[in-house]
Amino acid sequence: MSDNRQGVASSSGCEYGETNHALKFLICPKASKFMSKKAFIEYQGKEYSEEQVTNEAKAYRSFMESRRSIREFSDRPVPREVIEDIIMTASSAPSGANKQPWTFCAVSSADIKHKIREAAEKEEYENYHHRMSDDWLKDLEPLGTDEHKEFLDIAPWLIIVMRKTFEIEEGNRKNVYYVNESVGIATGFLISAIHNAGLVTLTHTPSPMGFLSKILDRPKNEKAFLLLPVGYPAEGAKVPDISKKTLNEVSEWY
């Protein structure tokens, strides 16, 4: 886009503008009308030297690479306050139009956990014995998984992430945007917060997951997205001897 387009109206009624860094953008009267109604505050963030930025990036990478999915849990209690902080960390994630289309259902009730286990194992039996293809089952072999999910009873907490397909405000249906993307990002925050607290988890997807909405009595606008047991690892817990892809395998540079 050439500089002579600054200040020129488009067919949509928007006008080309320019920042003091020569970044071109569109000024749309309709959008500006809505934006002007919201107050803005100054961003308060950390400012690091280049050396600190490098060190922080390496340290966080090393920390997150030590995270593992755990299937052998201890029944050691975890305070509710810890789970609250973990959930609120997850809920600080960005979302489409800041709609935050999620609900985190935290379950510590032994009775409810057992109901979830029974329903999950029923679906998982069908998955492992009827639904999954031979290729899928072969890919799961290194992980040593099957339809038995004892951790759903043993872990002190289960966090069920629900995605909201729409909002209900005063009985009226309201739109939400980029739901799967938003909830996926929040779940990433959740897993990171669990690891940061010195706890472990597992991303469990007993598909189909409709039974979770029924057991937890969730409203019609919420659908189960993911089930995560949360707690401490059992003494001597083991994990599969697997590796992650290299930088060259997961990135392209332009």
Side-chain angles (χ1 to χ4, degrees):
M1 186 186 300
S2 61
D3 290 342
N4 61 8
R5 298 194 68 175
Q6 181 180 359
V8 177
S10 71
S11 59
S12 64
C14 300
E15 201 172 85
Y16 289 99
E18 184 175 292
T19 70
N20 56 6
H21 298 291
L23 176 66
K24 310 308 189 293
F25 61 95
L26 283 172
I27 305 173
C28 298
K30 184 177 179 181
S32 297
K33 179 181 70 174
F34 289 106
M35 290 176 65
S36 64
K37 293 181 179 179
K38 295 294 183 181
F40 283 76
I41 59 175
E42 184 176 348
Y43 169 68
Q44 300 292 330
K46 292 183 178 180
E47 185 172 339
Y48 292 137
S49 67
E50 185 174 339
E51 181 181 6
Q52 286 175 309
V53 169
T54 301
N55 291 340
E56 289 289 331
K58 287 187 180 297
Y60 191 69
R61 172 187 174 181
S62 177
F63 171 69
M64 289 305 295
E65 285 181 341
S66 69
R67 185 212 63 80
R68 296 300 303 267
S69 294
I70 297 293
R71 292 174 173 81
E72 299 173 8
F73 282 80
S74 165
D75 62 359
R76 177 181 169 188
V78 174
R80 173 173 169 156
E81 179 184 9
V82 174
I83 302 302
E84 289 176 351
D85 283 332
I86 287 170
I87 288 174
M88 290 310 296
T89 297
S91 198
S92 73
S95 60
N98 196 36
K99 290 293 187 178
Q100 303 162 68
W102 48 63
T103 299
F104 299 95
C105 299
V107 179
S108 62
S109 163
D111 180 58
I112 296 176
K113 287 194 298 178
H114 190 66
K115 287 179 180 178
I116 290 173
R117 177 186 174 181
E118 288 183 325
E121 288 187 336
K122 181 179 179 180
E123 293 296 349
E124 291 289 51
Y125 180 87
E126 292 299 319
N127 288 334
Y128 278 89
H129 294 274
H130 302 293
R131 296 172 181 153
M132 292 178 176
S133 66
D134 289 342
D135 285 343
W136 192 346
L137 292 171
K138 185 176 180 180
D139 286 338
L140 288 173
E141 282 181 4
L143 306 181
T145 62
D146 58 29
E147 69 269 26
H148 302 292
K149 309 298 177 184
E150 295 90 348
F151 53 78
L152 295 176
D153 270 327
I154 298 171
W157 290 93
L158 304 181
I159 298 179
I160 297 89
V161 183
M162 310 295 292
R163 60 181 179 88
K164 292 184 178 180
T165 54
F166 57 93
E167 287 185 337
I168 302 175
E169 295 182 4
E170 298 179 351
N172 297 317
R173 177 171 174 152
K174 300 289 186 179
N175 290 333
V176 290
Y177 314 99
Y178 301 106
V179 174
N180 288 336
E181 294 87 347
S182 299
V183 178
I185 294 168
T187 301
F189 275 41
L190 183 74
I191 293 169
S192 177
I194 291 168
H195 182 55
N196 185 64
L199 303 174
V200 295
T201 190
L202 171 72
T203 53
H204 182 42
T205 52
S207 181
M209 295 192 286
F211 66 87
L212 289 167
S213 295
K214 294 178 181 179
I215 292 173
L216 300 174
D217 193 26
R218 301 312 303 159
K220 62 182 180 180
N221 65 322
E222 292 186 5
K223 307 296 182 185
F225 184 80
L226 199 63
L227 167 59
L228 298 100
V230 180
Y232 292 96
E235 185 176 353
K238 292 181 171 54
V239 295
D241 185 10
I242 56 177
S243 60
K244 299 297 184 181
K245 293 181 179 180
T246 66
L247 178 63
N248 286 339
E249 291 176 299
V250 300
S251 65
E252 294 287 346
W253 301 77
Y254 299 91

